[in-house]
Amino acid sequence: MYRKSLLAALFSIVLAALLHAQNPRGSLRGAVQDATGARIPSASIVVQSVDSRMQREATSEDRGEFRLDDLLPGSYHMTVSATGFVPAQASVSIAVSSVREVTVTLQPAAPAETVSVQGQNSSITTQPIDLVSVVHQGVITSQDLQTLPLAARSFANIAYLAPGTEPVEPSDPTKARITAVSTGGSSGLNNDLSVDGGDNSDDWIGGFLQNFSPDAIQEFAVRTANEDADTGGTTAGSIVITTRRGTNDWHGTAAFYERAAALNARFPIENPAPNPKQPFSRQNYVGSLGGPIARDKIWFFIAFEYVHENASIAYSPNSLAQFNALAQIAADSLIPGVPSVTVPRSVPIPFRDYPGSLRFDWSQSTKSQWFLRASEDSYLTHNALVAQATLPSTGLTTHNNYWNSVISNTYAFSPTWLGTFVFDASLLHLTQTRNSTLGFALAFPFSSTTLTVSGFETYGDNQFATPITLFPSLRNQEKYQFRYDLGHATGDHSFKFGVNFIHEPVLAGAFPGNQETLYSFPNDPTFYTLNAANLAQFPIDCADGASTTPAGDGSFSQSVQRLALYAQDSWRLSRHLTLNYGLRYQTTFGLLTASGRSQSQNAAFPTLQGLQIPLEPGIPHDYRKQFAPRLGIAYSPGNSGKTVLGAGFGLFYNDLAQNGWATAFQGVNSSNFVTGGCNLTGADGAYALTGPGCLQGGTGATGNIVDSNYKTPYALHITGGVQHAFNKNWTLSADYTHEQGNHGYRAYSYTSDANLFTPLIPTSDPTYDADQQSVVPNLNIFKSDNRSSYNALMLHLQGNVSKRFNLVANYTFSKAQTWGCVLGELFDYVNGVCNPLNPFGPGDYGPSGEDVRHRFVLAGTVFIPGGFELSTLFQAEAARPFTITTADNSQRISVNGAPTALDAFRGTPYIQMDLRVTRPFRFGERVEVRPFAEFFNLFNRNNPGANFVGTIAALPVPQSDIASGNATNICLDFPTCTQLQPITSLRQLEIPAGGLGDFFGPGTTVGIPFAAQLGVRVDF
């Protein structure tokens, strides 16, 4: 048996490695004392897992202190003994990614032994203060997930209980049902997610990769600042999840959730009056079961959820009028190849989701513990991205498939040495199929608002582009992670180091590669059907508004490897002072290589060389200087252990999302490959750029390249704060966080003959402008030179009065700023530059899209007479910023000749209250039945947030204002605009638009109208 255990341990070491996933385990730290408070050295501490045979041992050092690290979250039986004292025993709960503090008092008499444990880790409302760590985090348990109302049944809905977080809408239509969590004023795409120690981050667009049913989650920690050195792959926060597992006792869940149109308020955007209320229904079927396969040795746990949703969009009278006019135009044979247009009164949008998880745990011995977990999530949406003002032809069928598996071993080499091995594998396959493939689309003004999720089109093919992003029709991601952590814990030190590696052979996808023509019209269909003259104008406007995307290779592909090394220590300098310090090094291989080719084979580089344009002297390379020190100090004055002062510093590197520069990866596809270089030939009026694959000016392709001076973005964190426990029931904390972002991504857009010239054409050329445009292509350069800052004061109060109520309340006062053109984002998006010749110009520095100055959260449960429980999640926050751009979305508008700054417009403050009412019934000792009713957006408040008209082309202003990008008057009778009102206030331009919360899916930033849900839950 010993040989087998030793071989297992050696095998684990050989397989060592990890990248940016955090340790999901917790720690137990404490002191042993006698009845007078004197410390007892050399006491023996034995901790036995209640759910397995895993046993850990420690010995108190000369100050009577001890520490055990890398304990899986769960319940433990602790026995403490010392010569001359009666052994003491107690049950202790360990939370994910947390240090649990206990004080053990040994007595010489048998009846008097006591163990005092601060708090009960059953909920975020009962977390004890941490006396040694400076990590800012909140731990949300399965009890929180089961008792608080969850609008989307996503763990992200409840992550907002942690201070320093904000709700954000899904930032990617390819993952519309996976919500995100904002930390540090970002969109949430730069947060790292690990599940059971395995990486679960999306390395292309960022954010979470796979969703998990709340019933598969044991608990999770939301960390907003100062992670330890074992944490990478983030410039902001991280979320550490641990899943539920089986025990010797059979346990499980069965639940049913029901929503219907009769329980919901009317959604005026998708179902405006006076239409009859559209049918809507959604059912969630949830089941889980866990128990022993072989008692005390092998256990299993399985969880599965099925979501059956039938939603719909009912067209408004205005939309139907426009669609019927378009149908009349088609009947008049004015749309080539389209003899008729079908106009339905409503569009069904069915959605089906199947998340599931299966886990096996094996206690090989008291020293060795294994587990294997496999999870999947597959969902299908028909008519995705169809909006109120778009016909079904513009929709998609979206099919997402995720699969993830983790195998892990924990082996105790000795009472002080512990090794943990993790192997993680994950797959993503996503397809988006157009409802129509006509080869063209028609776009009218009434369909194109700032947040029209289907893009610019009213009828025809989806262009896979919107005013704010371009997204793929296919995505594939294949990832393998190897991780090994080795830790050594004593009373004074908790030392840990690890070797980390991720192999990602497939990080690929495709944008549509077929030829597409978008016909943009200056007027709506009803204008053209007013009279014969207007109808005759239709083909003229159609030809004038045509823009064609040529056929090409829309694919992009990477093979990326990430390596990291770290070492960290928690050093107990005294019983009051703890120093946490560490160093992390990480780097990436193949980040800037696409389809097996370097950026030297991007057609834009030889084109610039041939034109002797000295913007980019070379090609970018992987950044190798990612050294990230971490430092934290925790001081607990006095002997009560009720107050702790903490401060920390850290650097965090992250190669973030690649979606912003996917076009640069496409630039090295074989169809664009350049051989022999590019040469400028010809003379005045007849210049030509020769060479196979060289980019051409005029109607030629736009070049997209990554800057040769590429550096990995990083954030500097500085924090400080204080926590105080008034008693075992009430805790208050105040923390300050400063995050300084450096080398964020930005896009520099150059236009031929406007700010991009070749010196080979002399200015004396009589056809200078025409010649420049004929040979110089437009160009986008993706640089890493952005800077940002986030400052926040976070107040957190938690209270727990047994059998009466519990609560958690957060207030955050913050400011997030960055450089941008249209809208600034911290770290994750590639921000645009208004003027590439003046990239840090006036007005370009301002708030990020998630800059919320004030935010308040209150959540908790009140136990009222009759056995009823009322649980609430209340959120209120200040208005978020938005910008209004010119018609081509290239820069911000001017108002009465004065350019608007990045912080010129703010939306509407957000207030939402969700409520759950339940009455538990117990049958025997183990079965509990909970019928409940949940109410979301209880006061039915319209929360447009920052979803306002964001382009001058959709504002009710004269055409001359739209063309110039300078707003001067509001049209009182738009679109005829015969009655004008001068603009005297920017508030006149703040007009709600878009989906009002239906950005790329169910809104989280913006409250949906009132909705109710009924259900019943059975736990045993």
Side-chain angles (χ1 to χ4, degrees):
M1 187 66 179
Y2 174 78
R3 288 183 178 179
K4 291 181 179 179
S5 299
L6 182 58
L7 289 174
L10 292 175
F11 176 70
S12 300
I13 294 176
V14 171
L15 291 176
L18 140 77
L19 181 69
H20 51 272
Q22 306 89 344
N23 188 357
R25 293 167 169 79
S27 300
L28 178 64
R29 172 184 174 274
V32 183
Q33 63 185 23
D34 62 19
T36 67
R39 298 299 180 89
I40 302 175
S42 303
S44 174
I45 298 93
V46 179
V47 176
Q48 172 73 52
S49 172
V50 174
D51 301 326
S52 71
R53 292 191 299 164
M54 190 69 180
Q55 179 176 297
R56 298 287 301 282
E57 300 176 2
T59 301
S60 63
E61 41 83 81
D62 56 359
R63 291 196 297 262
E65 298 173 356
F66 66 91
R67 177 163 178 154
L68 290 165
D69 286 333
D70 292 309
L71 296 172
L72 284 172
S75 299
Y76 290 83
H77 183 74
M78 181 174 67
T79 302
V80 181
S81 59
T83 303
F85 296 89
V86 175
Q89 299 183 358
S91 295
V92 180
S93 296
I94 301 298
V96 61
S97 188
S98 299
V99 179
R100 187 68 187 279
E101 187 87 12
V102 298
T103 300
V104 182
T105 303
L106 298 182
Q107 300 284 356
E113 75 274 11
T114 63
V115 177
S116 64
V117 180
Q118 300 175 4
Q120 299 176 1
N121 267 337
S122 59
S123 167
I124 192 173
T125 64
T126 58
Q127 293 177 47
I129 63 175
D130 191 338
L131 300 178
V132 290
S133 175
V134 293
V135 174
H136 293 177
Q137 68 175 12
V139 177
I140 290 89
T141 70
S142 57
Q143 176 179 322
D144 299 315
L145 292 168
Q146 294 169 13
T147 58
L148 292 175
L150 304 180
R153 275 195 55 76
S154 167
F155 66 87
N157 296 137
I158 206 170
Y160 312 139
L161 295 182
T165 59
E166 300 171 16
V168 285
E169 291 168 329
S171 297
D172 178 13
T174 65
K175 299 188 302 176
R177 295 285 179 157
I178 297 180
T179 53
V181 178
S182 170
T183 62
S186 73
S187 71
L189 297 182
N190 54 330
N191 289 327
D192 183 49
L193 174 67
S194 71
V195 183
D196 293 324
D199 177 80
N200 199 264
S201 299
D202 187 334
D203 291 330
W204 190 72
I205 187 147
F208 304 159
L209 182 64
Q210 179 176 341
N211 204 3
F212 286 79
S213 169
D215 282 79
I217 296 174
Q218 178 64 31
E219 57 191 33
F220 63 95
V222 182
R223 313 170 85 180
T224 57
N226 269 314
E227 292 86 342
D228 296 326
D230 65 348
T231 301
T234 174
T235 55
S238 59
I239 293 183
V240 187
I241 292 178
T242 182
T243 59
R244 297 178 66 184
R245 57 186 183 274
T247 66
N248 282 334
D249 295 324
W250 288 95
H251 58 287
T253 298
F256 173 72
Y257 300 78
E258 166 70 22
R259 289 193 195 183
L263 301 175
N264 299 343
R266 180 188 295 272
F267 195 176
I269 297 300
E270 295 184 351
N271 186 197
N275 289 354
K277 209 170 185 182
Q278 274 301 106
F280 173 86
S281 68
R282 183 166 77 196
Q283 297 82 36
N284 292 61
Y285 304 87
V286 182
S288 67
L289 180 66
I293 297 176
R295 292 185 65 85
D296 297 322
K297 197 169 184 69
I298 303 176
W299 306 265
F300 82 97
F301 185 86
I302 185 171
F304 182 76
E305 182 163 354
Y306 169 53
V307 181
H308 184 278
E309 178 182 288
N310 288 320
S312 58
I313 289 178
Y315 290 128
S316 68
N318 177 64
S319 293
L320 289 174
Q322 299 295 344
F323 295 153
N324 288 328
L326 182 62
Q328 179 182 334
I329 294 172
D332 290 339
S333 301
L334 294 179
I335 306 177
V338 181
S340 64
V341 172
T342 301
V343 181
R345 299 192 66 84
S346 64
V347 181
I349 305 179
F351 168 72
R352 306 291 184 266
D353 191 14
Y354 310 87
S357 184
L358 175 63
R359 173 167 171 158
F360 294 95
D361 285 81
W362 173 36
S363 182
Q364 183 183 13
S365 68
T366 58
K367 293 185 176 182
S368 180
Q369 179 81 22
W370 294 82
F371 75 81
L372 169 67
R373 194 245 322 137
S375 304
E376 61 81 32
D377 184 14
S378 175
Y379 65 78
L380 181 69
T381 307
H382 293 283
N383 291 323
L385 302 185
V386 174
Q388 170 59 233
T390 63
L391 284 163
S393 63
T394 66
L396 309 169
T397 295
T398 300
H399 193 187
N400 289 23
N401 293 281
Y402 306 90
W403 177 85
N404 173 260
S405 183
V406 174
I407 184 170
S408 177
N409 172 251
T410 300
Y411 187 84
F413 297 97
S414 71
T416 58
W417 285 96
L418 186 81
T420 303
F421 158 71
V422 171
F423 171 73
D424 174 86
S426 62
L427 297 172
L428 160 66
H429 177 61
L430 180 151
T431 58
Q432 298 198 119
T433 307
R434 289 186 175 106
N435 285 355
S436 69
T437 53
L438 301 175
F440 70 90
L442 309 179
F444 298 92
F446 83 100
S447 298
S448 300
T449 66
T450 182
L451 293 181
T452 300
V453 295
S454 57
F456 301 94
E457 61 275 0
T458 304
Y459 170 80
D461 300 354
N462 194 299
Q463 306 291 300
F464 289 86
T466 76
I468 59 173
T469 190
L470 178 71
F471 55 94
S473 57
L474 170 70
R475 281 198 56 204
N476 289 296
Q477 181 170 318
E478 182 179 339
K479 181 188 297 187
Y480 304 95
Q481 176 190 1
F482 299 87
R483 157 184 178 175
Y484 199 87
D485 297 310
L486 188 61
H488 177 66
T490 63
D492 288 337
H493 290 272
S494 176
F495 180 72
K496 183 187 295 185
F497 61 92
V499 181
N500 320 298
F501 183 69
I502 279 182
H503 174 52
E504 202 162 7
V506 178
L507 185 58
F511 296 96
N514 56 307
Q515 178 174 306
E516 287 286 333
T517 301
L518 181 67
Y519 298 96
S520 299
F521 294 85
N523 300 292
D524 288 330
T526 53
F527 168 83
Y528 297 104
T529 57
L530 284 175
N531 51 56
N534 287 7
L535 193 62
Q537 185 65 31
F538 181 87
I540 299 174
D541 289 347
C542 184
D544 292 343
S547 59
T548 300
T549 302
D553 187 350
S555 65
F556 55 89
S557 177
Q558 294 172 271
S559 177
V560 177
Q561 292 75 43
R562 308 177 191 271
L563 175 67
L565 307 170
Y566 81 90
Q568 65 184 41
D569 184 29
S570 180
W571 181 12
R572 190 73 178 274
L573 295 170
S574 71
R575 61 186 301 178
H576 304 291
L577 182 63
T578 301
L579 177 66
N580 299 281
Y581 56 97
L583 178 66
R584 180 181 182 88
Y585 173 76
Q586 62 188 46
T587 190
T588 306
F589 301 89
L591 181 70
L592 303 169
T593 300
S595 304
R597 304 183 182 94
S598 74
Q599 284 292 303
S600 64
Q601 298 180 23
N602 187 320
F605 279 102
T607 298
L608 291 178
Q609 292 173 351
L611 294 172
Q612 294 186 16
I613 299 176
L615 282 178
E616 291 297 324
I619 63 172
H621 299 280
D622 294 327
Y623 190 63
R624 296 282 185 256
K625 299 178 181 179
Q626 301 178 46
F627 292 94
R630 314 285 168 85
L631 177 66
I633 299 175
Y635 175 70
S636 178
N639 297 319
S640 64
K642 293 183 178 181
T643 303
V644 60
L645 305 172
F649 163 87
L651 288 181
F652 296 83
Y653 286 89
N654 188 12
D655 278 314
L656 297 179
Q658 308 306 301
N659 64 308
W661 54 29
T663 51
F665 295 147
Q666 291 175 299
V668 299
N669 289 340
S670 56
S671 60
N672 299 326
F673 186 65
V674 175
T675 57
C678 302
N679 298 285
L680 185 65
T681 61
D684 296 355
Y687 283 102
L689 191 65
T690 61
C694 297
L695 298 181
Q696 301 298 317
T699 59
T702 298
N704 298 277
I705 56 178
V706 180
D707 181 38
S708 58
N709 194 34
Y710 167 82
K711 292 181 174 62
T712 297
Y714 72 88
L716 183 152
H717 285 205
I718 300 174
T719 65
V722 57
Q723 299 180 66
H724 179 71
F726 297 99
N727 52 47
K728 67 178 182 179
N729 295 324
W730 292 94
T731 301
L732 177 67
S733 66
D735 295 288
Y736 168 77
T737 296
H738 170 73
E739 299 179 16
Q740 183 68 44
N742 295 276
H743 298 301
Y745 298 150
R746 294 209 294 175
Y748 286 61
S749 296
Y750 293 87
T751 302
S752 174
D753 193 45
N755 47 32
L756 190 63
F757 307 87
T758 173
L760 298 180
I761 298 177
T763 56
S764 58
D765 184 348
T767 56
Y768 179 80
D769 291 333
D771 285 343
Q772 288 282 349
Q773 294 175 23
S774 69
V775 296
V776 177
N778 297 330
L779 182 68
N780 294 316
I781 301 179
F782 303 106
K783 297 187 177 184
S784 56
D785 64 353
N786 204 359
R787 301 187 294 271
S788 63
S789 68
Y790 174 75
N791 292 276
L793 172 65
M794 296 173 285
L795 304 179
H796 174 78
L797 173 69
Q798 66 183 46
N800 184 48
V801 180
S802 178
K803 298 183 180 180
R804 293 187 181 181
F805 68 88
N806 59 61
L807 66 84
V808 57
N810 299 321
Y811 169 71
T812 302
F813 174 56
S814 63
K815 188 175 185 179
Q817 293 185 296
T818 187
W819 291 92
C821 180
V822 174
L823 183 65
E825 293 290 351
L826 268 64
F827 303 114
D828 35 40
Y829 276 121
V830 174
N831 293 338
V833 172
C834 285
N835 181 1
L837 303 182
N838 186 20
F840 297 95
D844 291 350
Y845 187 75
S848 74
E850 282 70 42
D851 175 50
V852 175
R853 298 296 166 85
H854 305 275
R855 176 168 168 79
F856 176 74
V857 176
L858 176 67
T861 301
V862 178
F863 304 94
I864 60 178
F868 287 90
E869 300 176 5
L870 298 180
S871 301
T872 186
L873 176 57
F874 174 83
Q875 305 177 67
E877 64 180 36
R880 302 191 183 200
F882 71 97
T883 55
I884 300 179
T885 70
T886 55
D888 61 359
N889 295 286
S890 63
Q891 57 185 333
R892 300 180 302 276
I893 64 168
S894 295
V895 177
N896 294 320
T900 56
L902 203 60
D903 198 13
F905 301 95
R906 289 269 174 174
T908 300
Y910 169 71
I911 300 176
Q912 179 162 325
M913 181 176 182
D914 300 336
L915 180 70
R916 167 187 273 214
V917 182
T918 184
R919 174 43 167 102
F921 296 91
R922 297 196 66 87
F923 298 88
E925 295 183 358
R926 299 198 54 201
V927 179
E928 183 179 71
V929 180
R930 285 179 169 261
F932 59 84
E934 294 180 324
F935 309 94
F936 308 109
N937 197 358
L938 187 64
F939 301 113
N940 197 29
R941 176 186 168 90
N942 181 21
N943 284 296
N947 293 322
F948 288 73
V949 167
T951 171
I952 195 172
L955 288 175
V957 297
Q959 285 295 322
S960 58
D961 286 7
I962 294 176
S964 66
N966 178 38
T968 60
N969 292 280
I970 293 291
C971 299
L972 300 179
D973 57 343
F974 187 80
T976 56
C977 287
T978 58
Q979 301 179 41
L980 302 179
Q981 180 183 57
I983 296 175
T984 57
S985 170
L986 295 180
R987 303 289 294 183
Q988 295 173 259
L989 302 177
E990 296 183 1
I991 300 174
L996 293 184
D998 253 12
F999 182 25
F1000 284 137
T1004 54
T1005 301
V1006 180
I1008 60 174
F1010 170 85
Q1013 180 167 266
L1014 302 177
V1016 61
R1017 181 182 183 88
V1018 180
D1019 293 287
F1020 66 91

